[in-house]
Amino acid sequence: MAGRGTDIKPADEVLAAGGLHVLGTERHEALRIDRQLSGRSGRQGDPGTAQFYLSLEDELLEALSQERHERLKKRGEGAEGESGWGSYLRLFRKAQRKVEGRHYKSRVDLMVHEKQRQEILRDLGADPYVD
């Protein structure tokens, strides 16, 4: 993410023109990252806007079932203008929540397995923190 860890100081001409505009070409697996990226547009009270483009071929939608993904593609072919695409944002957010949930479960499972590994090594008399 460009500008991460630093403040972007836009020139006076940029501020007069409305500030920074962030374009997102795809959604990240975590909504938090999307919000961070859109937050880069207007920092510390500066003007700015953010816009994300959605695609029904986005890998994020693979978090939904394959058949539902195909149905969405077919339905999207008939959508005209922005008004037809507004309802899809809800589906992207749902897919993000599903992926975030899977990642959380993986982290919890890893933590449980690591505790089990440490217990086994401790029972064997080995140092559980040395590989």
Side-chain angles (χ1 to χ4, degrees):
M1 180 184 315
R4 191 172 170 137
T6 61
D7 285 331
I8 300 171
K9 298 186 181 8
D12 291 335
E13 305 87 48
V14 174
L15 293 174
L20 295 175
H21 184 73
V22 173
L23 293 175
T25 56
E26 63 184 347
R27 289 291 186 163
H28 193 272
E29 290 180 342
L31 180 59
R32 176 183 61 84
I33 303 298
D34 288 343
R35 286 195 303 255
Q36 282 181 348
L37 183 59
S38 63
R40 300 307 304 169
S41 63
R43 303 295 283 179
Q44 299 178 351
D46 289 338
T49 56
Q51 181 177 9
F52 282 87
Y53 289 94
L54 303 177
S55 170
L56 291 176
E57 296 176 3
D58 196 320
E59 289 179 17
L60 179 63
L61 291 181
E62 291 174 3
L64 304 172
S65 68
Q66 182 66 27
E67 59 191 45
R68 185 168 189 193
H69 190 194
E70 292 301 321
R71 279 196 328 259
L72 288 173
K73 281 184 180 180
K74 287 184 191 278
R75 195 173 92 191
E77 290 171 0
E80 294 289 330
E82 284 186 36
S83 61
W85 287 94
S87 62
Y88 287 98
L89 178 59
R90 183 172 39 94
L91 295 171
F92 276 82
R93 295 244 167 97
K94 182 177 183 175
Q96 284 175 320
R97 283 192 304 272
K98 280 188 167 197
V99 171
E100 287 174 345
R102 277 192 219 132
H103 288 197
Y104 175 77
K105 186 177 180 330
S106 294
R107 289 191 306 271
V108 168
D109 288 345
L110 180 63
M111 190 171 61
V112 167
H113 290 298
E114 177 59 21
K115 283 185 179 184
Q116 289 172 347
R117 185 188 75 84
Q118 288 176 1
E119 286 177 18
I120 291 169
L121 289 174
R122 209 174 291 120
D123 290 344
L124 293 173
D127 187 354
Y129 300 104
V130 177
D131 285 327

